[in-house]
Amino acid sequence: MSDKKNSEGWSRRDVMKAAGAFSAAGAMPMFFSRGAWAAESFRNDPGNSATVKLGFNVPQTGAYADEGADELRAFKLAVKHLNGEGDGGLMNTMKPLSLKGNGILGKKVTYVTGDTQTKSDAARASAKRMIEKDGVLMFSGGSSSGVAIAVQSLAQEMGVIFMAGLTHSNDTTGKDKRRYGFRHFFNAKMSGAALGPVLKKEMGTERAAYHLTADYTWGWTQEESIKETTEGLGWKTVKTVRTPVGAGDFSQYITPILNSGADTLILNHYGKDMINSLTQAIQFGLKDKNVNGKTFEIIVPLYSRLMAQGAGKNLRGILGTTNWNWALKDAGSQAFVKSFGSEYGFPPSQAAHTCYVQTLLYANACEMAGTFYPPEVIKQLEGFKFDGMGNGATEYRAEDHQCFKDVLVVRGNENPTSQFDLLEIVQEVPRAQVEYDAKIFGGELGPYKV
Amino acid sequence: MKAPTIKNDIFVMLIFSAVILSMPVWLEPLGASYPDLLQKFAIFGIFAVGYNILFGLTGYLSFGHAAFLGVGSYTAVWSFKLLTMNIFPAIIFSVLLSGLFALLIGFITLRRSGIYFSILTLAFAQMFYNLAYSVLTPITNGETGLQLARTDPRVIDRLFSEAGEGLPSTDFFGLAMSGYSGFYVCAVILIFAFFISQRIFHSPFGVKLRAIKSNQTRMKYTGYSTRPYLLTAFVISGMYAGLAGGLMAATDPLAGAERMQWTASGEVVLMTILGGVGTLIGPLLGVGIIKYFENIFSALNEQGLHQAYAFMPDWLANIMVPMTSPFVGEGWHLTLGSLFVLIVVFLPGGIMEGINMFKKLFSKKTSEPDFKPIKKKTTPETVK
């Protein structure tokens, strides 16, 4: 068989194709110059357009898909509120506020969505599509620090602002920080600082800890920060074991713990990974064990309500930290829970909260700057102090683009009153206790203008 | 079998070049004309063209080609980190190193054929993936992926200039690798890669590879040692994969372990089968379809669907949106899966078989203007 049987058929088609191609070749110089922009203008300048576009890049598949879905809900809600629809949510409580409820700088806000698949490659491809094809001015989203760091450096290359969603690794605003990346969420270092005193009070100073750690930037830095805290208390670290993200079955990692001599398990896992590893740890009877004369304890340094829902009653009594919880009683939190609840019928997660707040903060900074020109917007965000967004007085530190605010230490609720009432707030750790020097992680923000 | 003439080949090459280079124009109405996706088309095109040299010609189904893609990417990023941001040395090293790995893996795996060969290659790829993911973290930076840093040595670049304020970007002797110029660099390399593949297909070497596919035992009886031919084909396709991997890193200087996962190997198999195994153009069509689905379909949401159905009356659009929305957005795999099933069941030769059928219909019609039932028209084919 030959695939060149009908040469007559070929030529007919080919002449047509060739004609098209030659005309295209003539138009080609046009395309070379399209990506270029002059010094004073910037990428995706909305100009006189009546709308602006934002990009929401969240994991819709993979181990962090639950968080991604909730983030997307929050983004949609934020866009509604920015455009003056709905009840306005946190725009009623945010101080200082420059937003007017007529979009951003009078332009109606629209959005595009993408799936990061919790993979750096896919996330960057999706972000590039948003920037190059859809022309977004800002993109946001997250749930994996690996992805956040990968797209944050893309943001810097492209000159488009990235407002990180849920990312907890120290590196995001530490050694991998970028001028075009901002993080409202707290980080592992702050989790450790907040957990320390509570652990000391509840578990004493003589414990032997065993770490199971998600094997990527977030897991590494969280393990490091928690280890630093617990060893500061006088605890021993028996062993740290790295597990692949999305492993599903953790039994092979849990069995060695039983005979390791450890009396505390620290799970540096998140999302479905944490649900699986915790459930299996409970099934293996870790919590009923008695080691070194102490009851075996499990700690999950980074908690979320979505995970608590997945892990069910296994989570009861287990300590951890969160960035925000819907049960907070301040006006901002309540306003957000109310408008999210009336829109979707259930309370928001911390991932939803941080994404919503980030969207509003970006919009507000544009209003303050009076322009969409990224260097000006960045300057407004750097050092911006605000209140009424659910975490008390908050500051975007200019040196590393990290927000500083109170951190919550929580415990899995022993007697939940509803299916959402899963976390009990043990302590609201004040901001001063979790603050650290911006220089300790190294890294450079890079230039304003790219 | 009619021997393809040189003249015919050159003609095909010219058409091919024109079609590839004009992609930004004719993909515009499809919403796929933006640099990142165009670059992906070209890069995965190279990957599939190379893969087809092994799978299409010899019939050896390798499930581990993503390993070479990954090796290429890591090599290129290291070249950017240590030597220079110019992609030229990066690409050369990518191709050479992945060729070396292909030689090693091929030497071992080609001792078996059929399913055993596939499983062996899969095992090697998985091994590479796990090495990159956890064991070799100092070289690969694990899950986070290997990235550039401002403080990298970049020995050659430092000879000419001081480090700038931000991260440097990749270039090909001054031509930026991002945006449309990046696409044209990739496109030219694709055309070159396609040309080599075409020469291989129509060379005596290609004929021998096809002989291996049709009956290896008989070929051995005629006095040929088949292993060297197989190994050569394996190494060539491994080098193609390395080239694609290097280019991926060149257009986006980041290398992650997920690039080596078995799903990535599976993807190129799907691309080749979807387009048409053993045909020159087929794998490229497969690449186009899969990448289009992955990037465009996956981003459609209900808002987008409403816009797409804007031409319909409202009531119809309101029915169509809920009906089609499970197939777009995160459901794009569903659409791709159904398409794949349909093609494999009805067109085992891939899209190329469909195109050839159309061509046959068309040329028959011109020679016999009278309408004849379709059944009769296909008889010559079945007799042959």
Side-chain angles (χ1 to χ4, degrees):
Chain A
M1 283 273 295
S2 157
D3 42 356
K4 295 272 170 311
K5 231 176 286 176
N6 305 290
S7 50
E8 310 92 315
W10 257 114
S11 59
R12 180 191 296 262
R13 288 160 48 85
D14 294 344
V15 169
M16 303 263 289
K17 277 192 200 162
F22 276 115
S23 56
M28 215 164 285
M30 246 166 58
F31 294 97
F32 273 117
S33 56
R34 210 160 71 171
W37 72 95
E40 61 278 0
S41 69
F42 56 97
R43 192 183 282 268
N44 299 340
D45 184 352
N48 294 324
S49 158
T51 59
V52 289
K53 216 175 250 177
L54 306 181
F56 303 135
N57 204 12
V58 302
Q60 296 174 2
T61 46
Y64 299 151
D66 292 346
E67 272 76 13
D70 219 38
E71 288 183 354
L72 208 51
R73 288 184 202 112
F75 282 131
K76 289 179 184 166
L77 190 65
V79 168
K80 258 183 130 175
H81 291 169
L82 285 174
N83 287 332
E85 298 157 22
D87 63 4
L90 282 176
M91 279 165 65
N92 302 318
T93 58
M94 182 180 170
K95 289 181 294 254
L97 181 80
S98 310
L99 292 166
K100 298 178 192 72
N102 60 349
I104 309 176
L105 294 172
K107 297 184 195 298
K108 191 172 184 294
V109 182
T110 57
Y111 64 90
V112 289
T113 58
D115 183 6
T116 68
Q117 301 173 32
T118 324
K119 290 180 188 164
S120 307
D121 267 359
R124 275 173 79 110
S126 172
K128 274 192 170 177
R129 174 183 54 77
M130 290 175 174
I131 296 167
E132 290 179 342
K133 174 166 173 268
D134 302 317
V136 299
L137 268 170
M138 174 280 271
F139 67 109
S140 179
S143 266
S144 160
S145 292
V147 167
I149 289 169
V151 297
Q152 182 166 282
S153 64
L154 178 77
Q156 183 79 27
E157 281 162 35
M158 294 272 190
V160 173
I161 292 177
F162 171 60
M163 302 295 282
L166 195 152
T167 153
H168 187 246
S169 169
N170 293 339
D171 292 346
T172 314
T173 50
K175 79 173 176 42
D176 295 313
K177 61 181 170 236
R178 294 281 183 271
R179 185 68 67 188
Y180 279 74
F182 288 87
R183 171 165 66 178
H184 169 264
F185 207 67
F186 71 145
N187 62 26
K189 175 89 185 160
M190 293 152 96
S191 282
L195 263 179
V198 179
L199 292 181
K200 189 176 177 183
K201 204 177 97 201
E202 303 225 346
M203 300 182 191
T205 54
E206 286 173 20
R207 277 197 171 260
Y210 193 108
H211 286 257
L212 286 187
T213 303
D215 195 2
Y216 72 107
T217 167
W218 168 67
W220 303 336
T221 65
Q222 176 161 303
E223 178 191 293
E224 185 190 306
S225 292
I226 301 295
K227 221 168 104 178
E228 190 185 291
T229 306
T230 54
E231 286 179 357
L233 296 174
W235 294 20
K236 281 201 296 283
T237 305
V238 178
K239 202 174 178 189
T240 58
V241 175
R242 305 266 159 99
T243 63
V245 179
D249 181 15
F250 291 89
S251 49
Q252 54 163 320
Y253 301 105
I254 291 168
T255 32
I257 304 171
L258 295 163
N259 301 314
S260 65
D263 51 33
T264 313
L265 170 63
I266 297 174
L267 282 179
N268 299 310
H269 286 158
Y270 194 74
K272 290 197 175 82
D273 279 0
M274 179 260 157
I275 295 173
N276 291 334
S277 63
L278 180 70
T279 309
Q280 286 176 346
I282 305 274
Q283 280 167 357
F284 278 64
L286 282 184
K287 275 211 83 179
D288 310 321
K289 266 176 71 92
N290 215 312
V291 187
N292 310 335
K294 303 180 197 73
T295 36
F296 198 98
E297 296 283 355
I298 300 175
I299 301 167
V300 180
L302 178 61
Y303 245 141
S304 98
R305 202 208 72 234
L306 291 175
M307 282 153 49
Q309 250 164 278
K313 62 178 190 302
N314 292 330
L315 209 64
R316 289 182 187 171
I318 289 175
L319 279 172
T321 60
T322 67
N323 187 55
W324 179 83
N325 186 277
W326 68 278
L328 284 170
K329 292 284 172 272
D330 62 291
S333 301
Q334 293 207 323
F336 182 53
V337 173
K338 185 169 158 270
S339 71
F340 191 95
S342 57
E343 183 84 16
Y344 301 111
F346 47 86
S349 66
Q350 60 172 354
H353 172 254
T354 197
C355 288
Y356 178 93
V357 171
Q358 283 281 67
T359 313
L360 251 54
L361 283 175
Y362 170 78
N364 190 62
C366 292
E367 288 282 349
M368 290 197 307
T371 170
F372 291 104
Y373 182 51
E376 290 303 320
V377 178
I378 291 171
K379 281 175 191 153
Q380 293 298 333
L381 278 169
E382 287 178 339
F384 181 56
K385 292 192 178 73
F386 57 95
D387 202 348
M389 301 288 260
N391 301 95
T394 310
E395 180 184 354
Y396 243 125
R397 184 155 75 182
E399 289 81 25
D400 57 359
H401 293 188
Q402 170 69 49
C403 262
F404 282 88
K405 54 195 162 21
D406 301 347
V407 172
L408 303 179
V409 176
V410 293
R411 187 202 312 274
N413 211 338
E414 299 278 5
N415 302 302
T417 52
S418 76
Q419 56 162 324
F420 305 113
D421 179 29
L422 296 167
L423 301 178
E424 160 200 7
I425 298 169
V426 179
Q427 200 185 348
E428 282 183 53
V429 181
R431 175 182 150 189
Q433 194 188 317
V434 298
E435 252 167 315
Y436 58 89
D437 184 4
K439 291 191 198 75
I440 58 171
F441 293 125
E444 285 172 74
L445 283 169
Y448 283 98
K449 240 174 143 165
V450 291
Chain B
M1 189 167 138
K2 197 162 66 182
T5 59
I6 294 286
K7 215 173 122 194
N8 204 342
D9 274 3
I10 292 173
F11 189 56
V12 170
M13 267 320 292
L14 281 177
I15 302 293
F16 177 78
S17 314
V19 170
I20 293 294
L21 288 175
S22 62
M23 252 164 42
V25 182
W26 59 265
L27 281 176
E28 185 73 59
L30 295 170
S33 175
Y34 62 99
D36 184 53
L37 186 55
L38 291 170
Q39 289 164 3
K40 291 243 154 58
F41 281 146
I43 292 169
F44 279 91
I46 296 170
F47 190 23
V49 162
Y51 184 75
N52 195 34
I53 293 176
L54 180 72
F55 181 39
L57 286 181
T58 70
Y60 272 62
L61 174 63
S62 160
F63 254 111
H65 259 53
F68 307 125
L69 194 75
V71 168
S73 285
Y74 283 119
T75 315
V77 176
W78 272 112
S79 159
F80 297 142
K81 283 172 92 74
L82 298 177
L83 298 174
T84 166
M85 292 304 286
N86 193 319
I87 68 161
F88 188 70
I91 298 291
I92 300 287
F93 286 129
S94 300
V95 173
L96 289 181
L97 200 67
S98 51
L100 200 69
F101 275 102
L103 186 66
L104 196 80
I105 295 180
F107 184 74
I108 301 167
T109 54
L110 285 169
R111 288 167 186 274
R112 292 284 170 271
S113 61
I115 186 88
Y116 303 101
F117 169 78
S118 303
I119 296 293
L120 275 174
T121 48
L122 179 64
F124 267 102
Q126 199 59 24
M127 221 151 76
F128 272 54
Y129 168 68
N130 279 315
L131 280 176
Y133 201 83
S134 46
V135 183
L136 294 177
T137 352
I139 301 175
T140 61
N141 204 19
E143 225 264 351
T144 319
L146 191 61
Q147 296 187 29
L148 300 178
R150 207 185 71 93
T151 47
D152 290 331
R154 271 186 274 282
V155 192
I156 299 178
D157 283 1
R158 283 300 84 78
L159 291 177
F160 302 106
S161 66
E162 279 301 297
E165 204 192 336
L167 269 185
S169 46
T170 50
D171 66 274
F172 181 71
F173 298 107
L175 202 60
M177 279 305 287
S178 57
Y180 284 95
S181 54
F183 161 69
Y184 284 111
V185 173
C186 295
V188 169
I189 297 178
L190 169 64
I191 290 165
F192 188 63
F194 183 79
F195 174 72
I196 294 178
S197 149
Q198 192 194 39
R199 299 311 327 143
I200 290 176
F201 264 63
H202 298 157
S203 69
F205 172 63
V207 174
K208 282 176 195 118
L209 293 181
R210 259 178 247 188
I212 292 174
K213 183 179 186 176
S214 61
N215 196 333
Q216 189 168 183
T217 322
R218 189 188 288 169
M219 191 172 165
K220 277 183 185 153
Y221 284 160
T222 55
Y224 278 105
S225 172
T226 53
R227 187 86 62 73
Y229 293 108
L230 278 171
L231 191 58
T232 315
F234 192 84
V235 171
I236 292 174
S237 72
M239 287 165 94
Y240 267 82
L243 173 65
L247 279 175
M248 270 168 94
T251 52
D252 190 1
L254 173 129
E258 68 256 37
R259 230 168 250 183
M260 302 171 114
Q261 222 172 346
W262 67 270
T263 46
S265 300
E267 197 180 38
V268 73
V269 180
L270 291 190
M271 286 167 173
T272 316
I273 294 177
L274 199 61
V277 184
T279 59
L280 271 168
I281 307 280
L284 290 164
L285 293 174
V287 167
I289 289 173
I290 289 190
K291 285 289 145 193
Y292 185 77
F293 269 84
E294 188 180 327
N295 288 282
I296 304 296
F297 252 64
S298 71
L300 269 178
N301 47 25
E302 283 198 14
Q303 196 190 351
L305 278 181
H306 273 291
Q307 275 166 18
Y309 292 136
F311 67 92
M312 291 181 181
D314 267 354
W315 62 269
L316 190 59
N318 285 337
I319 300 171
M320 287 301 284
V321 169
M323 264 177 61
T324 43
S325 64
F327 292 93
V328 299
E330 49 185 288
W332 67 273
H333 281 115
L334 197 62
T335 322
L336 188 62
S338 347
L339 184 71
F340 191 72
V341 169
L342 285 177
I343 287 193
V344 170
V345 171
F346 294 106
L347 297 169
I351 298 169
M352 282 312 281
E353 186 181 320
I355 292 179
N356 284 335
M357 266 162 63
F358 263 110
K359 234 165 29 187
K360 218 164 286 162
L361 272 177
F362 192 63
S363 52
K364 264 277 158 66
K365 234 176 226 164
T366 45
S367 54
E368 303 168 45
D370 293 343
F371 177 75
K372 294 259 170 68
I374 292 176
K375 201 170 175 196
K376 198 157 187 189
K377 251 176 250 166
T378 49
T379 21
E381 166 75 3
T382 45
V383 166
K384 231 189 294 175

